[in-house]
Amino acid sequence: MTIAIKRAYEEPAPTDGQRVLVDRLWPRGVSKDKAALDEWLKDIAPSNELRKWFGHEPAKFAEFKKRFIAELDANEAGWKPLLERARKGPLTLVYSAHDEAHNNAVVIKAYLEKRL
């Protein structure tokens, strides 16, 4: 039961297992074929308000994480299918942010791993 995260701009790999896009917006310049996704779960992504407030500013990440976890706590229908996928085999959360350490996929991964 592994959960990985990967930018949408990286090449898919056989070891990715199920690939699920966890962003509300489609990654710029990435075709559906190149993304090689099994699913796109817009509803697990941060709300538009939270996403815009955060603006990918690392200084806001701690507060973003706190607010996003509150959104996830209220959205069991959004994250539970991902947890079930992770229990069945490798799962890769696909995201488009440039910052690999401060993004919603990092938060979702940690959130799910606490529930495995």
mmCIF file of all heavy atoms in Angstrom, residues 44-47 49-51 53-74 100-115:
data_model
loop_
_atom_site.group_PDB
_atom_site.id
_atom_site.type_symbol
_atom_site.label_atom_id
_atom_site.label_comp_id
_atom_site.label_asym_id
_atom_site.label_seq_id
_atom_site.Cartn_x
_atom_site.Cartn_y
_atom_site.Cartn_z
ATOM 1 N N ILE A 44 -11.731 16.656 -4.482
ATOM 2 C CA ILE A 44 -10.807 16.492 -3.356
ATOM 3 C C ILE A 44 -9.844 17.671 -3.255
ATOM 4 O O ILE A 44 -9.205 17.882 -2.245
ATOM 5 C CB ILE A 44 -10.023 15.169 -3.433
ATOM 6 C CG1 ILE A 44 -9.282 14.945 -2.118
ATOM 7 C CG2 ILE A 44 -9.035 15.164 -4.576
ATOM 8 C CD1 ILE A 44 -9.239 13.572 -1.634
ATOM 9 N N ALA A 45 -9.779 18.460 -4.296
ATOM 10 C CA ALA A 45 -8.871 19.616 -4.321
ATOM 11 C C ALA A 45 -9.352 20.697 -3.352
ATOM 12 O O ALA A 45 -10.518 20.733 -2.969
ATOM 13 C CB ALA A 45 -8.802 20.182 -5.733
ATOM 14 N N PRO A 46 -8.449 21.585 -2.963
ATOM 15 C CA PRO A 46 -8.863 22.699 -2.095
ATOM 16 C C PRO A 46 -9.941 23.536 -2.788
ATOM 17 O O PRO A 46 -9.982 23.621 -4.015
ATOM 18 C CB PRO A 46 -7.586 23.527 -1.931
ATOM 19 C CG PRO A 46 -6.478 22.658 -2.370
ATOM 20 C CD PRO A 46 -7.040 21.648 -3.308
ATOM 21 N N SER A 47 -10.782 24.147 -1.988
ATOM 22 C CA SER A 47 -11.813 25.028 -2.539
ATOM 23 C C SER A 47 -11.150 26.152 -3.329
ATOM 24 O O SER A 47 -9.969 26.481 -3.107
ATOM 25 C CB SER A 47 -12.653 25.627 -1.414
ATOM 26 O OG SER A 47 -11.847 26.457 -0.589
ATOM 27 N N GLU A 49 -11.648 29.254 -3.078
ATOM 28 C CA GLU A 49 -11.292 30.328 -2.150
ATOM 29 C C GLU A 49 -9.957 30.039 -1.472
ATOM 30 O O GLU A 49 -9.084 30.903 -1.393
ATOM 31 C CB GLU A 49 -12.390 30.513 -1.091
ATOM 32 C CG GLU A 49 -13.719 30.947 -1.654
ATOM 33 C CD GLU A 49 -14.544 29.809 -2.266
ATOM 34 O OE1 GLU A 49 -14.244 28.622 -2.036
ATOM 35 O OE2 GLU A 49 -15.486 30.124 -3.018
ATOM 36 N N LEU A 50 -9.790 28.808 -0.978
ATOM 37 C CA LEU A 50 -8.540 28.452 -0.295
ATOM 38 C C LEU A 50 -7.373 28.439 -1.275
ATOM 39 O O LEU A 50 -6.285 28.938 -0.971
ATOM 40 C CB LEU A 50 -8.683 27.091 0.388
ATOM 41 C CG LEU A 50 -7.464 26.607 1.169
ATOM 42 C CD1 LEU A 50 -7.032 27.617 2.228
ATOM 43 C CD2 LEU A 50 -7.741 25.246 1.794
ATOM 44 N N ARG A 51 -7.594 27.894 -2.445
ATOM 45 C CA ARG A 51 -6.540 27.831 -3.461
ATOM 46 C C ARG A 51 -6.046 29.229 -3.827
ATOM 47 O O ARG A 51 -4.845 29.485 -3.885
ATOM 48 C CB ARG A 51 -7.085 27.107 -4.703
ATOM 49 C CG ARG A 51 -6.095 26.916 -5.822
ATOM 50 C CD ARG A 51 -6.734 26.188 -6.993
ATOM 51 N NE ARG A 51 -7.924 26.822 -7.520
ATOM 52 C CZ ARG A 51 -7.896 27.861 -8.357
ATOM 53 N NH1 ARG A 51 -6.755 28.379 -8.744
ATOM 54 N NH2 ARG A 51 -9.028 28.378 -8.805
ATOM 55 N N TRP A 53 -6.415 32.005 -2.014
ATOM 56 C CA TRP A 53 -5.787 32.627 -0.843
ATOM 57 C C TRP A 53 -4.335 32.161 -0.702
ATOM 58 O O TRP A 53 -3.437 32.957 -0.468
ATOM 59 C CB TRP A 53 -6.575 32.281 0.434
ATOM 60 C CG TRP A 53 -5.855 32.720 1.666
ATOM 61 C CD1 TRP A 53 -5.868 33.963 2.227
ATOM 62 C CD2 TRP A 53 -4.975 31.926 2.471
ATOM 63 N NE1 TRP A 53 -5.046 33.990 3.330
ATOM 64 C CE2 TRP A 53 -4.483 32.745 3.498
ATOM 65 C CE3 TRP A 53 -4.545 30.596 2.417
ATOM 66 C CZ2 TRP A 53 -3.597 32.291 4.465
ATOM 67 C CZ3 TRP A 53 -3.671 30.143 3.381
ATOM 68 C CH2 TRP A 53 -3.208 30.981 4.388
ATOM 69 N N PHE A 54 -4.107 30.859 -0.854
ATOM 70 C CA PHE A 54 -2.765 30.293 -0.699
ATOM 71 C C PHE A 54 -1.814 30.817 -1.768
ATOM 72 O O PHE A 54 -0.700 31.240 -1.455
ATOM 73 C CB PHE A 54 -2.857 28.758 -0.738
ATOM 74 C CG PHE A 54 -1.539 28.039 -0.713
ATOM 75 C CD1 PHE A 54 -0.531 28.390 0.169
ATOM 76 C CD2 PHE A 54 -1.306 26.989 -1.582
ATOM 77 C CE1 PHE A 54 0.676 27.703 0.192
ATOM 78 C CE2 PHE A 54 -0.112 26.298 -1.570
ATOM 79 C CZ PHE A 54 0.889 26.662 -0.679
ATOM 80 N N GLY A 55 -2.241 30.805 -3.005
ATOM 81 C CA GLY A 55 -1.416 31.327 -4.087
ATOM 82 C C GLY A 55 -0.036 30.695 -4.196
ATOM 83 O O GLY A 55 0.901 31.313 -4.694
ATOM 84 N N HIS A 56 0.120 29.482 -3.683
ATOM 85 C CA HIS A 56 1.397 28.750 -3.717
ATOM 86 C C HIS A 56 2.529 29.520 -3.049
ATOM 87 O O HIS A 56 3.690 29.425 -3.472
ATOM 88 C CB HIS A 56 1.763 28.329 -5.144
ATOM 89 C CG HIS A 56 0.755 27.400 -5.734
ATOM 90 N ND1 HIS A 56 0.637 26.083 -5.363
ATOM 91 C CD2 HIS A 56 -0.229 27.615 -6.644
ATOM 92 C CE1 HIS A 56 -0.348 25.523 -6.027
ATOM 93 N NE2 HIS A 56 -0.899 26.429 -6.806
ATOM 94 N N GLU A 57 2.211 30.276 -1.994
ATOM 95 C CA GLU A 57 3.222 30.996 -1.226
ATOM 96 C C GLU A 57 3.683 30.104 -0.072
ATOM 97 O O GLU A 57 2.909 29.826 0.852
ATOM 98 C CB GLU A 57 2.651 32.304 -0.683
ATOM 99 C CG GLU A 57 2.296 33.300 -1.766
ATOM 100 C CD GLU A 57 1.714 34.583 -1.195
ATOM 101 O OE1 GLU A 57 2.163 35.020 -0.114
ATOM 102 O OE2 GLU A 57 0.798 35.139 -1.834
ATOM 103 N N PRO A 58 4.939 29.656 -0.098
ATOM 104 C CA PRO A 58 5.431 28.755 0.949
ATOM 105 C C PRO A 58 5.225 29.284 2.373
ATOM 106 O O PRO A 58 4.972 28.501 3.290
ATOM 107 C CB PRO A 58 6.924 28.613 0.629
ATOM 108 C CG PRO A 58 6.998 28.827 -0.849
ATOM 109 C CD PRO A 58 5.955 29.882 -1.137
ATOM 110 N N ALA A 59 5.281 30.584 2.557
ATOM 111 C CA ALA A 59 5.093 31.159 3.892
ATOM 112 C C ALA A 59 3.680 30.908 4.424
ATOM 113 O O ALA A 59 3.471 30.910 5.641
ATOM 114 C CB ALA A 59 5.383 32.654 3.869
ATOM 115 N N LYS A 60 2.731 30.673 3.545
ATOM 116 C CA LYS A 60 1.343 30.422 3.945
ATOM 117 C C LYS A 60 1.031 28.922 4.064
ATOM 118 O O LYS A 60 -0.090 28.554 4.388
ATOM 119 C CB LYS A 60 0.375 31.040 2.928
ATOM 120 C CG LYS A 60 0.360 32.549 2.897
ATOM 121 C CD LYS A 60 -0.679 33.011 1.882
ATOM 122 C CE LYS A 60 -0.847 34.507 1.869
ATOM 123 N NZ LYS A 60 -1.856 34.912 0.855
ATOM 124 N N PHE A 61 2.017 28.063 3.800
ATOM 125 C CA PHE A 61 1.727 26.635 3.702
ATOM 126 C C PHE A 61 1.189 26.040 4.998
ATOM 127 O O PHE A 61 0.252 25.232 4.965
ATOM 128 C CB PHE A 61 2.952 25.846 3.226
ATOM 129 C CG PHE A 61 2.639 24.396 2.953
ATOM 130 C CD1 PHE A 61 1.855 24.041 1.873
ATOM 131 C CD2 PHE A 61 3.105 23.394 3.779
ATOM 132 C CE1 PHE A 61 1.543 22.714 1.603
ATOM 133 C CE2 PHE A 61 2.798 22.066 3.528
ATOM 134 C CZ PHE A 61 2.017 21.717 2.437
ATOM 135 N N ALA A 62 1.734 26.399 6.140
ATOM 136 C CA ALA A 62 1.266 25.829 7.416
ATOM 137 C C ALA A 62 -0.215 26.143 7.627
ATOM 138 O O ALA A 62 -0.998 25.265 8.004
ATOM 139 C CB ALA A 62 2.106 26.339 8.577
ATOM 140 N N GLU A 63 -0.608 27.375 7.365
ATOM 141 C CA GLU A 63 -2.011 27.748 7.513
ATOM 142 C C GLU A 63 -2.866 27.106 6.424
ATOM 143 O O GLU A 63 -3.992 26.670 6.679
ATOM 144 C CB GLU A 63 -2.173 29.270 7.490
ATOM 145 C CG GLU A 63 -3.598 29.747 7.686
ATOM 146 C CD GLU A 63 -4.222 29.381 9.039
ATOM 147 O OE1 GLU A 63 -3.477 29.136 10.011
ATOM 148 O OE2 GLU A 63 -5.461 29.331 9.119
ATOM 149 N N PHE A 64 -2.327 27.028 5.207
ATOM 150 C CA PHE A 64 -3.035 26.349 4.117
ATOM 151 C C PHE A 64 -3.321 24.904 4.505
ATOM 152 O O PHE A 64 -4.444 24.412 4.344
ATOM 153 C CB PHE A 64 -2.206 26.396 2.830
ATOM 154 C CG PHE A 64 -2.697 25.466 1.756
ATOM 155 C CD1 PHE A 64 -3.798 25.807 0.976
ATOM 156 C CD2 PHE A 64 -2.081 24.244 1.525
ATOM 157 C CE1 PHE A 64 -4.265 24.943 -0.016
ATOM 158 C CE2 PHE A 64 -2.535 23.381 0.545
ATOM 159 C CZ PHE A 64 -3.637 23.737 -0.233
ATOM 160 N N LYS A 65 -2.300 24.229 5.018
ATOM 161 C CA LYS A 65 -2.438 22.826 5.410
ATOM 162 C C LYS A 65 -3.540 22.672 6.458
ATOM 163 O O LYS A 65 -4.396 21.792 6.348
ATOM 164 C CB LYS A 65 -1.104 22.312 5.936
ATOM 165 C CG LYS A 65 -1.095 20.868 6.315
ATOM 166 C CD LYS A 65 0.282 20.437 6.767
ATOM 167 C CE LYS A 65 0.278 19.012 7.246
ATOM 168 N NZ LYS A 65 1.594 18.586 7.716
ATOM 169 N N LYS A 66 -3.542 23.524 7.441
ATOM 170 C CA LYS A 66 -4.552 23.483 8.501
ATOM 171 C C LYS A 66 -5.964 23.665 7.923
ATOM 172 O O LYS A 66 -6.881 22.899 8.229
ATOM 173 C CB LYS A 66 -4.243 24.581 9.522
ATOM 174 C CG LYS A 66 -5.163 24.641 10.688
ATOM 175 C CD LYS A 66 -4.672 25.737 11.631
ATOM 176 C CE LYS A 66 -5.773 26.184 12.559
ATOM 177 N NZ LYS A 66 -5.375 27.303 13.398
ATOM 178 N N ARG A 67 -6.128 24.659 7.066
ATOM 179 C CA ARG A 67 -7.444 24.927 6.465
ATOM 180 C C ARG A 67 -7.866 23.814 5.513
ATOM 181 O O ARG A 67 -9.033 23.435 5.463
ATOM 182 C CB ARG A 67 -7.420 26.264 5.720
ATOM 183 C CG ARG A 67 -7.265 27.462 6.627
ATOM 184 C CD ARG A 67 -7.266 28.735 5.821
ATOM 185 N NE ARG A 67 -6.949 29.896 6.622
ATOM 186 C CZ ARG A 67 -7.028 31.146 6.187
ATOM 187 N NH1 ARG A 67 -7.399 31.400 4.932
ATOM 188 N NH2 ARG A 67 -6.729 32.146 6.973
ATOM 189 N N PHE A 68 -6.897 23.288 4.755
ATOM 190 C CA PHE A 68 -7.217 22.234 3.806
ATOM 191 C C PHE A 68 -7.601 20.948 4.537
ATOM 192 O O PHE A 68 -8.529 20.240 4.129
ATOM 193 C CB PHE A 68 -6.057 22.015 2.840
ATOM 194 C CG PHE A 68 -6.357 21.041 1.727
ATOM 195 C CD1 PHE A 68 -7.617 20.953 1.151
ATOM 196 C CD2 PHE A 68 -5.362 20.218 1.238
ATOM 197 C CE1 PHE A 68 -7.892 20.063 0.122
ATOM 198 C CE2 PHE A 68 -5.611 19.322 0.205
ATOM 199 C CZ PHE A 68 -6.883 19.249 -0.345
ATOM 200 N N ILE A 69 -6.931 20.630 5.620
ATOM 201 C CA ILE A 69 -7.297 19.448 6.413
ATOM 202 C C ILE A 69 -8.722 19.590 6.937
ATOM 203 O O ILE A 69 -9.488 18.621 6.940
ATOM 204 C CB ILE A 69 -6.276 19.205 7.545
ATOM 205 C CG1 ILE A 69 -4.974 18.656 6.931
ATOM 206 C CG2 ILE A 69 -6.830 18.253 8.596
ATOM 207 C CD1 ILE A 69 -3.817 18.545 7.898
ATOM 208 N N ALA A 70 -9.108 20.790 7.333
ATOM 209 C CA ALA A 70 -10.492 21.016 7.768
ATOM 210 C C ALA A 70 -11.462 20.744 6.622
ATOM 211 O O ALA A 70 -12.535 20.148 6.832
ATOM 212 C CB ALA A 70 -10.655 22.439 8.301
ATOM 213 N N GLU A 71 -11.091 21.157 5.402
ATOM 214 C CA GLU A 71 -11.939 20.864 4.239
ATOM 215 C C GLU A 71 -12.007 19.360 3.985
ATOM 216 O O GLU A 71 -13.077 18.820 3.692
ATOM 217 C CB GLU A 71 -11.425 21.584 2.998
ATOM 218 C CG GLU A 71 -11.650 23.069 3.011
ATOM 219 C CD GLU A 71 -11.271 23.773 1.714
ATOM 220 O OE1 GLU A 71 -10.767 23.109 0.773
ATOM 221 O OE2 GLU A 71 -11.485 24.990 1.640
ATOM 222 N N LEU A 72 -10.871 18.677 4.107
ATOM 223 C CA LEU A 72 -10.855 17.224 3.900
ATOM 224 C C LEU A 72 -11.696 16.516 4.958
ATOM 225 O O LEU A 72 -12.431 15.566 4.648
ATOM 226 C CB LEU A 72 -9.421 16.696 3.908
ATOM 227 C CG LEU A 72 -8.562 17.071 2.709
ATOM 228 C CD1 LEU A 72 -7.114 16.699 2.946
ATOM 229 C CD2 LEU A 72 -9.086 16.429 1.443
ATOM 230 N N ASP A 73 -11.601 16.965 6.208
ATOM 231 C CA ASP A 73 -12.401 16.363 7.284
ATOM 232 C C ASP A 73 -13.894 16.434 6.969
ATOM 233 O O ASP A 73 -14.654 15.543 7.338
ATOM 234 C CB ASP A 73 -12.130 17.066 8.620
ATOM 235 C CG ASP A 73 -10.782 16.690 9.226
ATOM 236 O OD1 ASP A 73 -10.183 15.675 8.816
ATOM 237 O OD2 ASP A 73 -10.336 17.428 10.131
ATOM 238 N N ALA A 74 -14.297 17.481 6.289
ATOM 239 C CA ALA A 74 -15.707 17.676 5.941
ATOM 240 C C ALA A 74 -16.071 17.045 4.599
ATOM 241 O O ALA A 74 -17.211 17.169 4.153
ATOM 242 C CB ALA A 74 -16.018 19.173 5.911
ATOM 243 N N GLU A 100 7.266 21.350 -5.273
ATOM 244 C CA GLU A 100 7.038 19.951 -4.944
ATOM 245 C C GLU A 100 6.838 19.700 -3.455
ATOM 246 O O GLU A 100 6.387 18.622 -3.066
ATOM 247 C CB GLU A 100 8.197 19.105 -5.474
ATOM 248 C CG GLU A 100 8.272 19.140 -6.988
ATOM 249 C CD GLU A 100 9.408 18.318 -7.570
ATOM 250 O OE1 GLU A 100 9.978 17.469 -6.843
ATOM 251 O OE2 GLU A 100 9.725 18.505 -8.749
ATOM 252 N N ALA A 101 7.142 20.684 -2.619
ATOM 253 C CA ALA A 101 7.020 20.502 -1.173
ATOM 254 C C ALA A 101 5.796 21.191 -0.579
ATOM 255 O O ALA A 101 5.357 20.834 0.509
ATOM 256 C CB ALA A 101 8.277 21.022 -0.477
ATOM 257 N N HIS A 102 5.268 22.184 -1.278
ATOM 258 C CA HIS A 102 4.164 22.984 -0.742
ATOM 259 C C HIS A 102 2.990 22.970 -1.708
ATOM 260 O O HIS A 102 2.789 23.921 -2.463
ATOM 261 C CB HIS A 102 4.626 24.423 -0.489
ATOM 262 C CG HIS A 102 5.817 24.517 0.383
ATOM 263 N ND1 HIS A 102 7.091 24.668 -0.127
ATOM 264 C CD2 HIS A 102 5.940 24.475 1.733
ATOM 265 C CE1 HIS A 102 7.943 24.715 0.880
ATOM 266 N NE2 HIS A 102 7.274 24.596 2.012
ATOM 267 N N ASN A 103 2.207 21.887 -1.672
ATOM 268 C CA ASN A 103 1.056 21.780 -2.568
ATOM 269 C C ASN A 103 -0.004 20.878 -1.952
ATOM 270 O O ASN A 103 0.239 20.211 -0.947
ATOM 271 C CB ASN A 103 1.494 21.281 -3.946
ATOM 272 C CG ASN A 103 2.076 19.896 -3.900
ATOM 273 O OD1 ASN A 103 1.364 18.928 -3.632
ATOM 274 N ND2 ASN A 103 3.375 19.770 -4.142
ATOM 275 N N ASN A 104 -1.168 20.854 -2.564
ATOM 276 C CA ASN A 104 -2.280 20.087 -2.018
ATOM 277 C C ASN A 104 -2.036 18.581 -2.025
ATOM 278 O O ASN A 104 -2.508 17.876 -1.138
ATOM 279 C CB ASN A 104 -3.585 20.424 -2.754
ATOM 280 C CG ASN A 104 -3.542 20.076 -4.216
ATOM 281 O OD1 ASN A 104 -2.660 20.522 -4.944
ATOM 282 N ND2 ASN A 104 -4.500 19.289 -4.679
ATOM 283 N N ALA A 105 -1.291 18.066 -2.997
ATOM 284 C CA ALA A 105 -1.036 16.624 -3.052
ATOM 285 C C ALA A 105 -0.223 16.155 -1.852
ATOM 286 O O ALA A 105 -0.457 15.059 -1.332
ATOM 287 C CB ALA A 105 -0.322 16.255 -4.354
ATOM 288 N N VAL A 106 0.694 16.977 -1.380
ATOM 289 C CA VAL A 106 1.486 16.653 -0.190
ATOM 290 C C VAL A 106 0.550 16.482 1.009
ATOM 291 O O VAL A 106 0.689 15.541 1.802
ATOM 292 C CB VAL A 106 2.534 17.763 0.085
ATOM 293 C CG1 VAL A 106 3.196 17.582 1.431
ATOM 294 C CG2 VAL A 106 3.577 17.792 -1.020
ATOM 295 N N VAL A 107 -0.408 17.380 1.132
ATOM 296 C CA VAL A 107 -1.359 17.329 2.253
ATOM 297 C C VAL A 107 -2.269 16.115 2.129
ATOM 298 O O VAL A 107 -2.494 15.388 3.105
ATOM 299 C CB VAL A 107 -2.182 18.636 2.331
ATOM 300 C CG1 VAL A 107 -3.196 18.573 3.465
ATOM 301 C CG2 VAL A 107 -1.267 19.844 2.507
ATOM 302 N N ILE A 108 -2.772 15.871 0.929
ATOM 303 C CA ILE A 108 -3.669 14.715 0.721
ATOM 304 C C ILE A 108 -2.933 13.421 1.021
ATOM 305 O O ILE A 108 -3.468 12.524 1.673
ATOM 306 C CB ILE A 108 -4.240 14.706 -0.706
ATOM 307 C CG1 ILE A 108 -5.137 15.925 -0.933
ATOM 308 C CG2 ILE A 108 -5.004 13.415 -0.987
ATOM 309 C CD1 ILE A 108 -5.524 16.150 -2.394
ATOM 310 N N LYS A 109 -1.702 13.299 0.561
ATOM 311 C CA LYS A 109 -0.907 12.086 0.795
ATOM 312 C C LYS A 109 -0.764 11.815 2.296
ATOM 313 O O LYS A 109 -1.027 10.713 2.773
ATOM 314 C CB LYS A 109 0.458 12.218 0.143
ATOM 315 C CG LYS A 109 1.389 11.013 0.348
ATOM 316 C CD LYS A 109 2.732 11.261 -0.341
ATOM 317 C CE LYS A 109 3.618 10.056 -0.321
ATOM 318 N NZ LYS A 109 4.255 9.779 0.944
ATOM 319 N N ALA A 110 -0.364 12.816 3.050
ATOM 320 C CA ALA A 110 -0.199 12.655 4.500
ATOM 321 C C ALA A 110 -1.537 12.328 5.158
ATOM 322 O O ALA A 110 -1.605 11.482 6.073
ATOM 323 C CB ALA A 110 0.402 13.929 5.093
ATOM 324 N N TYR A 111 -2.579 12.967 4.708
ATOM 325 C CA TYR A 111 -3.931 12.743 5.248
ATOM 326 C C TYR A 111 -4.350 11.283 5.053
ATOM 327 O O TYR A 111 -4.845 10.649 5.976
ATOM 328 C CB TYR A 111 -4.897 13.697 4.557
ATOM 329 C CG TYR A 111 -6.267 13.761 5.166
ATOM 330 C CD1 TYR A 111 -6.551 14.658 6.181
ATOM 331 C CD2 TYR A 111 -7.300 12.940 4.697
ATOM 332 C CE1 TYR A 111 -7.832 14.737 6.738
ATOM 333 C CE2 TYR A 111 -8.571 13.018 5.239
ATOM 334 C CZ TYR A 111 -8.824 13.911 6.263
ATOM 335 O OH TYR A 111 -10.088 13.982 6.814
ATOM 336 N N LEU A 112 -4.137 10.768 3.850
ATOM 337 C CA LEU A 112 -4.514 9.387 3.547
ATOM 338 C C LEU A 112 -3.635 8.385 4.294
ATOM 339 O O LEU A 112 -4.125 7.366 4.791
ATOM 340 C CB LEU A 112 -4.437 9.121 2.053
ATOM 341 C CG LEU A 112 -5.441 9.875 1.175
ATOM 342 C CD1 LEU A 112 -5.149 9.628 -0.291
ATOM 343 C CD2 LEU A 112 -6.873 9.493 1.523
ATOM 344 N N GLU A 113 -2.346 8.651 4.367
ATOM 345 C CA GLU A 113 -1.423 7.717 5.029
ATOM 346 C C GLU A 113 -1.765 7.554 6.499
ATOM 347 O O GLU A 113 -1.550 6.460 7.047
ATOM 348 C CB GLU A 113 0.019 8.190 4.852
ATOM 349 C CG GLU A 113 0.517 7.959 3.446
ATOM 350 C CD GLU A 113 1.915 8.479 3.171
ATOM 351 O OE1 GLU A 113 2.387 9.376 3.904
ATOM 352 O OE2 GLU A 113 2.531 7.987 2.208
ATOM 353 N N LYS A 114 -2.302 8.566 7.137
ATOM 354 C CA LYS A 114 -2.710 8.429 8.546
ATOM 355 C C LYS A 114 -3.897 7.499 8.695
ATOM 356 O O LYS A 114 -4.181 7.001 9.780
ATOM 357 C CB LYS A 114 -3.078 9.808 9.114
ATOM 358 C CG LYS A 114 -1.897 10.684 9.392
ATOM 359 C CD LYS A 114 -2.326 11.980 10.005
ATOM 360 C CE LYS A 114 -1.119 12.860 10.284
ATOM 361 N NZ LYS A 114 -1.497 14.154 10.874
ATOM 362 N N ARG A 115 -4.608 7.242 7.604
ATOM 363 C CA ARG A 115 -5.818 6.421 7.659
ATOM 364 C C ARG A 115 -5.621 5.019 7.076
ATOM 365 O O ARG A 115 -6.553 4.223 7.095
ATOM 366 C CB ARG A 115 -6.942 7.151 6.912
ATOM 367 C CG ARG A 115 -7.470 8.292 7.748
ATOM 368 C CD ARG A 115 -8.063 9.416 6.918
ATOM 369 N NE ARG A 115 -8.526 10.475 7.788
ATOM 370 C CZ ARG A 115 -7.759 11.397 8.330
ATOM 371 N NH1 ARG A 115 -6.460 11.409 8.100
ATOM 372 N NH2 ARG A 115 -8.254 12.332 9.130
#
